[in-house]
């Protein structure tokens, strides 16, 4: 079904995410989405069976969250605040377990005595126990069926209620002799049916809990306590009372309670929760730290900069929830099937009875049991769980690698990518210039002395190339000297006095203005410029002494990542605002299939559209700032290097590390997830296509029949098998 309407303006809509208790199958999902969309103030309604959550986009001027909860309640379900979902899930699992124990305890005596039909005492016991099971553990199916019928729909509860009621009430009438003498009683069928279905629901709930473990781990990472530093000294307080600009103390082995900045101390911090990188990162004064990461050694004093919902962990939890609640396009197939599934099954059950009883002249009880078996073996649950459980596990695998999937549908889209556009600066390259060459005029010029002169002058500039020069000098163990008479000229460079000489450090225009002869190094300068490098000339006392060359270097992983993308059959195209000669050099080095240079941010979006108009599924990888229009336009936008502003990124997928290899991993996870979804849908359909004819007795001539209670057991385990198959998706982590 279509869970969206376009007559409202998304820009002015409110959004509400909430838990939903009482969802049992794909038909429940369809019914609740339909009821929500019947209200004209609702533009989007997405209900997720695996996570038992709902998402609604609505007009807040015409509808309130309380109104939405009323719609959900009137549809036969219980709406829950997101903060109560975990507690409600635990309570539901406990309730499922208790009802299962009751159903099994009451059913076992019936199973053991079901052959004693001539024994009046045994039949009385079976009658009492079957009645207990039918109207205690089985009551939930009546409630669900009644809610569905009130809303003019049908669901799995209706099938179970019909099957168990038919078996129970037939046995009840036979027990009291209302169907004539010597009619067979089979109370065990209804009791065992309920017990087996309860078993399946309990195992399914436990399996779904395992599928969502990634989110649970996140929820338990946040520190409960913090060591607040006050004028009176150190005080242990609840982390929730920390405010921005408070200073907290973090000792070795403790979780950092808030996002903040280190103001004193140093230590290695385990950031695997954020980046997926297991090697701790050294943090010192001035460095930022993330709440819930672990301080491995050293004592840190941290000033809080983000608290509560603004912290990175809270943003990640929100995105993971949104992703797991999103509906992938392939889910529409399951939705379409489940919309007519239950009515068709009921019709097939009726047809089974009529054919066996009238056409094949079978006994009433034989035809009746076949009809019941058809009702209870059919399983719409498996189709409803096929997609969301796989997406839940897939997004969890990605999260463990520092890959945040903001939309579950992005996992399907990224698996089908045909073209991937790559921003150059900050994606393929580091985005920070580095000194690559230091050329001296002759062997008589000491390179270290040249570097000292360069650093001395550039220490007085904030230009990116100046910072790169200072970094190169620091790495070589050279400290800048004390310069005097410093004069910085915008667009040229600067001049100063150092060591008794007048230094001029800058571009070619500054050298011409200073009347410095560039001829001795002209050939070498042309070579470096042709390689796309920026040049800084250094002269002393009016004489050229050397050239420093700088460029934005490739990230170590870029070439390997591009090679893997090509092996996966994905065309790669680099997009950059740089000049064509520089772009050509980088494109050749990294190995992309094509490139486009001198591109403005607006043009990047047009390039994405052009590939999409060719019918190609197109992705875009960028830094999420100047690439925002292109990321939003792409079928899958991948923001690289999300950092602490992760929630502000435009991309559908955020890579927490500045590593293009994670984009490759995201594609692999997406492909593996789609494979699991297809497997789940295939087995869910195959099970029903195979199971219903067997239950209807089509193989009875070969001695193959299926009792209603075992048909119910098969139905229960079909949905469990889908969930466990999704959990196997975790194995893809070994291939990343």
């Amino acid at each position: 079904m279509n869970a969206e309407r376009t007559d409202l303006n998304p820009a002015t809509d409110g959004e509400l995410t909430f838990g939903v208790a009482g969802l049992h199958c794909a038909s429940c999902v369809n019914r609740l989405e339909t009821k929500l969309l019947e209200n004209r103030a609702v533009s989007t309604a997405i209900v997720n069976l695996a996570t038992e959550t709902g998402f609604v986009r609505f007009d807040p001027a015409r509808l309130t969250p309380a109104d939405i909860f009323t719609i959900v309640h009137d549809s036969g379900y219980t709406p829950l605040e997101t903060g109560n979902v975990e507690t409600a899930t635990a309570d539901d699992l406990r309730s499922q377990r208790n009802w299962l124990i009751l159903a099994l305890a009451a059913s076992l005596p019936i199973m053991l005595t079901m052959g004693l039909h001539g024994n009046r005492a045994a039949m009385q016991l079976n009658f009492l126990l079957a009645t207990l099971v039918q109207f205690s553990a089985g009551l939930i199916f009546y409630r669900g069926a009644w809610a569905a019928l009130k809303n003019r729909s049908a669901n799995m509860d209706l099938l179970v209620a019909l099957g168990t009621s038919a078996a129970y009430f037939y046995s009840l009438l036979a027990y009291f002799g209302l169907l004539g003498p010597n009619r067979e009683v089979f109370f065990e069928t209804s009791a065992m049916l309920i017990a087996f279905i309860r078993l399946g629901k309990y195992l399914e709930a436990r399996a779904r809990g395992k599928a969502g473990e990634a989110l649970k781990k996140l929820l338990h990472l946040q520190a409960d306590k913090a060591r607040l530093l006050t004028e009176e000294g150190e005080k242990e307080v609840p982390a929730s009372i920390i405010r921005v600009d408070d200073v907290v103390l973090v000792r070795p082995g403790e979780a950092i309670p808030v996002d903040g900045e280190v103001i004193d101390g140093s230590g290695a911090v385990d950031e695997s929760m954020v980046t997926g990188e297991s090697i701790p990162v050294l943090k010192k004064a001035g460095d930022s730290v993330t709440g819930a990461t672990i301080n491995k050694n050293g004592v840190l004093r941290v000033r809080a900069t983000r608290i509560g919902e603004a912290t990175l962990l809270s943003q990640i939890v929100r995105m993971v929830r949104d992703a797991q609640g999103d509906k992938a396009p392939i889910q529409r197939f399951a939705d379409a099937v489940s919309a007519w599934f239950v009515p068709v099954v009921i019709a097939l059950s009726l047809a089974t009875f009529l054919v066996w009883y009238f056409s094949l002249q079978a006994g009433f009880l034989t035809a009746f049991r076949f009809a019941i078996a058809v009702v209870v073996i059919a399983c719409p649950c498996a189709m409803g769980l096929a997609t969301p459980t796989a997406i839940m596990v897939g997004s969890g695998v990605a999260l463990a690698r520092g890959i945040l999937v903001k939309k579950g549908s992005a996992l399907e889209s990224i698996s089908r990518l045909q073209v991937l556009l790559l921003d150059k600066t900050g994606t393929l390259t580091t985005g920070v210039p580095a000194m690559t060459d230091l050329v001296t005029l002759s062997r008589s010029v000491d390179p270290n002395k040249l570097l000292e002169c360069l650093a001395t002058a550039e220490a007085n500039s904030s230009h990116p190339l100046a910072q790169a020069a200072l970094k190169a000098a620091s790495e070589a163990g050279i400290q800048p000297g004390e310069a005097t008479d410093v004069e910085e000229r915008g667009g040229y460079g600067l001049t100063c006095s150092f060591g008794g000489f007048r230094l001029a450090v800058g571009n070619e225009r500054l050298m011409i203005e200073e009347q410095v002869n560039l001829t001795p190094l002209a050939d070498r300068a042309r070579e470096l410029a042709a390689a796309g490098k920026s040049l800084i000339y250094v002269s002393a006392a009016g004489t050229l002494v050397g050239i420093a060359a700088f460029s934005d270097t490739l990230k170590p992983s870029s070439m390997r990542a591009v090679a893997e993308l090509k092996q996966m059959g994905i065309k790669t195209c680099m997009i950059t605002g740089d000049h064509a000669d520089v772009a050509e050099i980088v494109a050749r080095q990294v190995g992309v299939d094509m490139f486009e240079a001198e591109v403005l941010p607006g043009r990047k979006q047009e390039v994405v559209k052009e590939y999409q108009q060719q019918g190609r599924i197109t992705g875009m990888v960028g830094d999420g700032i100047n690439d925002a229009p292109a990321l939003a336009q792409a079928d899958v936008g991948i923001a690289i290097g999300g950092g602490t502003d992760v929630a502000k990124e435009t991309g559908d997928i955020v890579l927490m590390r500045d590593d293009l290899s994670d984009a490759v991993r995201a594609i692999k996870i997406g492909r593996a997830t789609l494979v699991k979804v297809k497997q789940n849908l295939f087995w869910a359909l195959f099970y029903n296509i195979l199971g219903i004819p067997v239950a209807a007795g089509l193989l009875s001539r070969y001695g193959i029949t299926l009792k209603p209670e075992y048909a119910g057991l098969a139905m229960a385990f079909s949905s469990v098998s889908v969930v466990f198959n999704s959990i196997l998706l975790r194995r893809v982590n070994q291939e990343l």
Side-chain angles (χ1 to χ4, degrees):
M1 65 167 286
N2 182 12
E4 294 192 38
R5 191 165 55 232
T6 58
D7 56 343
L8 296 177
N9 180 10
T12 61
D13 284 352
E15 293 183 350
L16 178 66
T17 300
F18 54 94
V20 186
L23 295 172
H24 296 141
C25 64
S27 299
C28 296
V29 171
N30 280 335
R31 182 169 88 241
L32 184 51
E33 287 180 347
T34 300
K35 294 298 290 185
L36 287 165
L37 285 170
E38 284 177 359
N39 190 301
R40 302 299 297 174
V42 175
S43 60
T44 302
I46 298 175
V47 178
N48 188 297
L49 177 61
T51 58
E52 296 185 307
T53 57
F55 169 80
V56 174
R57 186 174 291 121
F58 61 98
D59 182 356
R62 300 157 58 190
L63 199 66
T64 67
D67 296 330
I68 293 171
F69 278 15
T70 299
I71 296 172
V72 175
H73 191 272
D74 290 345
S75 301
Y77 306 102
T78 304
L80 302 168
E81 297 283 353
T82 51
N84 300 328
V85 171
E86 192 175 3
T87 302
T89 301
D91 291 343
D92 179 63
L93 187 61
R94 194 180 305 110
S95 175
Q96 293 269 22
R97 181 200 63 197
N98 293 341
W99 283 120
L100 168 62
I101 292 171
L102 172 66
L104 285 175
S107 299
L108 285 173
I110 302 177
M111 293 168 62
L112 294 173
T113 60
M114 62 185 180
L116 305 176
H117 287 171
N119 188 304
R120 188 69 183 172
M123 285 300 95
Q124 286 180 336
L125 176 65
N126 288 356
F127 161 62
L128 293 174
L129 291 176
T131 303
L132 172 66
V133 173
Q134 189 73 26
F135 299 107
S136 60
L139 196 59
I140 188 175
F141 304 115
Y142 286 112
R143 289 174 181 157
W146 174 243
L149 291 173
K150 279 200 304 183
N151 289 282
R152 299 177 184 177
S153 63
N155 61 0
M156 186 206 78
D157 287 339
L158 181 61
L159 294 180
V160 175
L162 282 174
T164 58
S165 296
Y168 172 79
F169 285 109
Y170 177 88
S171 298
L172 184 67
L173 294 174
Y175 174 73
F176 286 108
L178 300 179
L179 299 178
N182 302 321
R183 286 289 186 177
E184 186 175 346
V185 175
F186 52 103
F187 283 119
E188 71 276 2
T189 297
S190 61
M192 290 168 63
L193 260 174
I194 292 172
F196 285 153
I197 293 170
R198 276 288 187 181
L199 173 62
K201 299 303 287 183
Y202 174 69
L203 293 176
E204 178 190 318
R206 287 199 61 179
R208 279 155 62 176
K210 288 186 177 182
E213 279 180 356
L215 183 57
K216 288 183 180 177
K217 288 179 181 177
L218 282 182
L219 292 170
H220 290 106
L221 280 174
Q222 187 69 58
D224 295 324
K225 302 288 185 181
R227 300 179 187 275
L228 178 65
L229 294 179
T230 66
E231 294 179 357
E232 292 79 26
E234 177 187 327
K235 184 192 299 183
E236 187 173 283
V237 298
S240 58
I241 74 167
I242 300 297
R243 296 293 175 259
V244 172
D245 289 332
D246 283 350
V247 177
V248 296
L249 186 73
V250 186
R251 291 202 171 101
E254 295 180 344
I256 297 172
V258 291
D259 290 3
E261 179 185 348
V262 178
I263 59 174
D264 185 41
S266 65
V269 176
D270 179 359
E271 296 186 317
S272 58
M273 178 274 291
V274 177
T275 65
E277 182 58 61
S278 59
I279 300 174
V281 179
L282 179 65
K283 297 290 183 178
K284 56 187 185 302
D287 291 340
S288 61
V289 290
T290 302
T293 56
I294 307 298
N295 180 23
K296 288 295 189 181
N297 57 51
V299 178
L300 301 175
R301 284 179 174 81
V302 178
R303 180 178 62 83
T305 57
R306 298 171 189 262
I307 60 172
E309 291 299 310
T311 62
L312 177 60
L313 179 65
S314 295
Q315 294 172 8
I316 291 174
V317 168
R318 187 162 56 250
M319 280 194 296
V320 172
R321 274 186 173 144
D322 290 347
Q324 293 184 349
D326 187 36
K327 185 170 290 191
I330 198 170
Q331 178 67 20
R332 293 172 190 156
F333 169 75
D335 290 346
V337 172
S338 61
W340 48 260
F341 185 86
V342 174
V344 167
V345 169
I346 294 173
L348 287 174
S349 174
L350 182 60
T352 298
F353 176 81
L354 294 175
V355 169
W356 276 103
Y357 189 65
F358 292 106
S359 299
L360 301 179
Q361 302 296 311
F364 176 84
L365 202 57
T366 299
F368 191 55
R369 279 182 162 168
F370 281 140
I372 294 174
V374 169
V375 169
V376 297
I377 200 171
C379 183
C381 304
M383 285 183 291
L385 291 167
T387 302
T389 53
I391 286 177
M392 188 190 300
V393 177
S395 60
V397 171
L399 181 63
R401 285 286 184 166
I403 302 166
L404 292 180
V405 182
K406 294 172 66 177
K407 293 170 57 179
S409 53
L411 281 176
E412 179 180 345
S413 300
I414 200 172
S415 70
R416 304 180 188 275
L417 273 187
Q418 296 170 299
V419 177
L420 190 60
L421 308 180
L422 306 167
D423 176 50
K424 180 181 81 70
T425 305
T427 300
L428 292 171
T429 66
T430 61
V432 179
M435 193 176 80
T436 57
D437 302 89
L438 186 65
V439 181
T440 58
L441 178 67
S442 63
R443 292 184 179 179
S444 62
V445 178
D446 182 0
N448 288 339
K449 189 63 178 177
L450 173 60
L451 190 53
E452 182 184 7
C453 291
L454 175 65
T456 299
E458 296 291 23
N460 298 282
S461 173
S462 59
H463 192 279
L465 294 185
Q467 299 306 307
L470 288 170
K471 183 179 179 183
S474 176
E475 290 173 350
I478 297 172
Q479 297 299 318
E482 290 292 331
T484 58
D485 302 325
V486 178
E487 181 185 355
E488 186 169 8
R489 306 180 193 179
Y492 287 78
L494 51 79
T495 59
C496 65
S497 295
F498 173 64
F501 294 98
R502 174 183 168 80
L503 297 180
V505 177
N507 56 26
E508 185 176 352
R509 286 178 294 179
L510 178 63
M511 295 299 109
I512 293 172
E513 190 174 285
E514 291 287 316
Q515 298 181 350
V516 176
N517 182 15
L518 302 179
T519 305
L521 291 177
D523 291 342
R524 187 73 177 109
R526 277 193 293 270
E527 291 175 11
L528 294 170
K533 298 181 179 181
S534 302
L535 307 182
I536 292 181
Y537 295 86
V538 181
S539 71
T543 301
L544 181 67
V545 291
I547 303 174
F550 301 82
S551 70
D552 183 6
T553 56
L554 283 176
K555 292 179 182 177
S557 61
S558 293
M559 286 187 284
R560 183 177 68 253
V562 170
E564 286 192 68
L565 289 168
K566 294 170 78 170
Q567 287 176 358
M568 296 166 76
I570 298 172
K571 284 198 171 294
T572 54
C573 176
M574 183 186 78
I575 307 179
T576 178
D578 277 350
H579 295 297
D581 52 353
V582 177
E584 184 178 2
I585 293 166
V586 175
R588 188 167 57 248
Q589 289 175 339
V590 79
V592 293
D593 295 306
M594 47 205 149
F595 72 92
E596 188 161 338
E598 301 179 31
V599 173
L600 296 175
R603 170 62 187 155
K604 291 181 181 180
Q605 184 182 24
E606 292 301 318
V607 174
V608 174
K609 286 182 180 179
E610 288 170 7
Y611 280 107
Q612 289 174 328
Q613 287 167 1
Q614 295 173 17
R616 299 184 183 187
I617 298 175
T618 306
M620 172 72 192
V621 185
D623 61 16
I625 302 170
N626 62 338
D627 299 314
L631 288 170
Q633 177 64 42
D635 295 298
V636 182
I638 304 173
I640 192 166
T644 55
D645 290 325
V646 66
K648 299 177 184 176
E649 299 286 0
T650 314
D652 305 310
I653 293 175
V654 179
L655 311 181
M656 297 302 296
R657 300 186 299 172
D658 291 328
D659 190 343
L660 189 61
S661 295
D662 283 341
V664 177
R665 294 187 181 101
I667 295 170
K668 289 180 178 178
I669 293 169
R671 290 184 173 183
T673 301
L674 187 62
V675 167
K676 281 297 176 190
V677 170
K678 289 180 176 178
Q679 286 177 357
N680 288 345
L681 287 173
F682 170 79
W683 286 113
L685 283 171
F686 180 77
Y687 160 81
N688 283 295
I689 291 171
L690 179 65
I692 290 175
V694 172
L698 263 63
L699 300 181
S700 59
R701 69 174 65 183
Y702 304 107
I704 300 174
T705 59
L706 201 58
K707 287 186 175 182
E709 56 266 36
Y710 298 127
L713 183 63
M715 183 273 281
F717 276 95
S718 66
S719 55
V720 176
S721 66
V722 163
V723 179
F724 275 109
N725 187 49
S726 295
I727 292 174
L728 293 178
L729 181 58
R730 292 177 182 173
R731 294 179 179 178
V732 74
N733 196 41
Q734 301 168 5
E735 304 169 10
L736 300 177

